Amino acid sequence: MAFICLDIRCLFIFLICTEFSYTFSSNTEIKVNPPRDFVIVDPGYLGYLYLQWQPPLALENFKECTIEYELQYRNINSERWKTIITKNLYYKDGFDLNQGIEAKVHTLLSRQCTNGSEAQSSWSEATYWTSEQGSLETKIQDMDCVYYNWQYLACSWKPGMGAQFDTNYTLFYWYEGLEHALQCVDYIKSNGINIGCRFPSLESADYKDFFVCVNGSSESKPIRSSYFIFQLQNIVKPLPPDYLNLTVKNIFEINLKWSTPKGPIPAICFIYEIVLTGDDTSWMV
């Protein structure tokens, strides 16, 4: 059936109805489901974890839309959340496994799919804890790692206060590029107990997170593991200059000249500190 209206009032009513219909549709709340199966996966890299999830259900209505995810995560004792916006279904990062980890992720819809308004789902949440065997007193103490002259790495520690005489410790390490975590092959020992590790040549390990775990074994009690994260270039201890030449020109002027330390460290990286005295009691830096 056809309807033709020549009355100007019909056109006016038609325009009102069209405007009402557009306003209603633009104000309609658009809902999207949260990501599914959100988990934190430990692949055995001593703190480098995978956070992964599956797409939300019922995405048929948003086939032409860009789906993004907002991920937030932190160690449980930290006050600050890290936030990542990604289109992927996973994210990887390093964590301190001495503490628990908590994370949450939700779905975001691009504005062109939501009439310019922001649409996001509720959060999906996940937590992760390592198995905490042994008391805190059995953990190693005073872990100290030095990358000598940017060439070889050595770490040392003291046995835990609550460790028994039969306790011994084992060190594992990993950085991106290794297929799996490796165990120390050259331990530093004291009275037959491992108190440190000398590492082999560490190819391609600079400027990456270096993950270390020191655990232990004892027949009398379980030993709590300790985890550490650092970057090698931040713990470099350079060699001293090969020579220092001092020339006294007069009572008011002393000239010092020294050589650049040998090794792979670029000369531009060095800053020198000079400490001198004239009477062994007062020092100038």
Side-chain angles (χ1 to χ4, degrees):
M1 181 179 67
F3 175 75
I4 300 176
C5 179
L6 300 179
D7 195 325
I8 190 63
R9 289 174 296 177
C10 294
L11 178 60
F12 180 70
I13 293 172
F14 174 76
L15 291 174
I16 291 177
C17 292
T18 303
E19 179 65 23
F20 176 78
S21 174
Y22 174 80
T23 303
F24 176 79
S25 62
S26 64
N27 291 334
T28 301
E29 183 179 3
I30 298 176
K31 294 184 179 180
V32 60
N33 290 320
R36 295 176 294 124
D37 303 329
F38 181 37
V39 291
I40 301 174
V41 178
D42 186 352
Y45 296 152
L46 314 179
Y48 190 69
L49 305 181
Y50 299 171
L51 296 83
Q52 56 192 44
W53 56 91
Q54 294 299 318
L57 295 172
L59 285 180
E60 292 80 5
N61 296 330
F62 307 108
K63 289 182 178 180
E64 304 301 324
C65 297
T66 300
I67 306 296
E68 292 183 322
Y69 303 96
E70 180 181 4
L71 172 68
Q72 295 187 5
Y73 58 91
R74 66 178 179 179
N75 277 107
I76 286 180
N77 291 336
S78 173
E79 297 181 356
R80 181 172 173 268
W81 291 84
K82 290 186 178 180
T83 300
I84 301 296
I85 304 295
T86 179
K87 297 177 183 178
N88 297 324
L89 297 174
Y90 65 91
Y91 192 76
K92 305 175 183 179
D93 203 354
F95 294 87
D96 179 5
L97 293 188
N98 296 300
Q99 309 173 39
I101 296 105
E102 59 181 343
K104 54 186 179 180
V105 62
H106 64 184
T107 312
L108 302 176
L109 287 181
S110 56
R111 293 183 179 273
Q112 62 265 29
C113 297
T114 59
N115 297 321
S117 60
E118 182 176 311
Q120 59 188 32
S121 72
S122 57
W123 293 98
S124 293
E125 299 181 354
T127 58
Y128 180 80
W129 296 82
T130 57
S131 176
E132 295 185 348
Q133 298 181 349
S135 63
L136 288 173
E137 290 75 19
T138 62
K139 296 178 62 170
I140 62 168
Q141 305 176 82
D142 302 333
M143 180 69 156
D144 182 40
C145 294
V146 179
Y147 199 26
Y148 290 98
N149 206 35
W150 212 309
Q151 291 178 303
Y152 68 94
L153 174 66
C155 292
S156 61
W157 60 83
K158 295 179 182 177
M161 292 290 292
Q164 300 298 314
F165 68 92
D166 65 339
T167 299
N168 210 349
Y169 295 97
T170 306
L171 181 144
F172 294 87
Y173 65 96
W174 182 86
Y175 56 88
E176 191 172 2
L178 296 179
E179 293 184 0
H180 54 81
L182 300 178
Q183 184 182 168
C184 176
V185 296
D186 186 10
Y187 284 106
I188 303 168
K189 296 179 178 289
S190 175
N191 299 322
I193 297 176
N194 297 336
I195 60 165
C197 175
R198 289 179 287 261
F199 292 78
S201 176
L202 299 170
E203 297 181 1
S204 304
D206 298 339
Y207 302 101
K208 297 179 180 179
D209 284 341
F210 194 91
F211 297 85
V212 172
C213 171
V214 181
N215 56 25
S217 60
S218 170
E219 294 184 359
S220 55
K221 61 167 61 176
I223 305 299
R224 179 74 65 90
S225 297
S226 298
Y227 297 90
F228 306 90
I229 308 174
F230 52 85
Q231 292 196 349
L232 298 185
Q233 75 277 0
N234 294 334
I235 57 171
V236 171
K237 183 176 182 178
L239 293 174
D242 285 338
Y243 74 87
L244 172 65
N245 183 48
L246 184 150
T247 303
V248 179
K249 298 190 68 174
N250 53 59
I251 192 173
F252 300 107
E253 185 175 350
I254 297 175
N255 289 343
L256 299 174
K257 185 178 181 180
W258 57 89
S259 62
T260 302
K262 293 181 179 179
I265 305 175
I268 195 173
C269 294
F270 290 115
I271 298 174
Y272 299 96
E273 181 181 67
I274 302 168
V275 182
L276 47 102
T277 181
D279 54 13
D280 290 332
T281 57
S282 59
W283 293 83
M284 180 183 298
V285 179

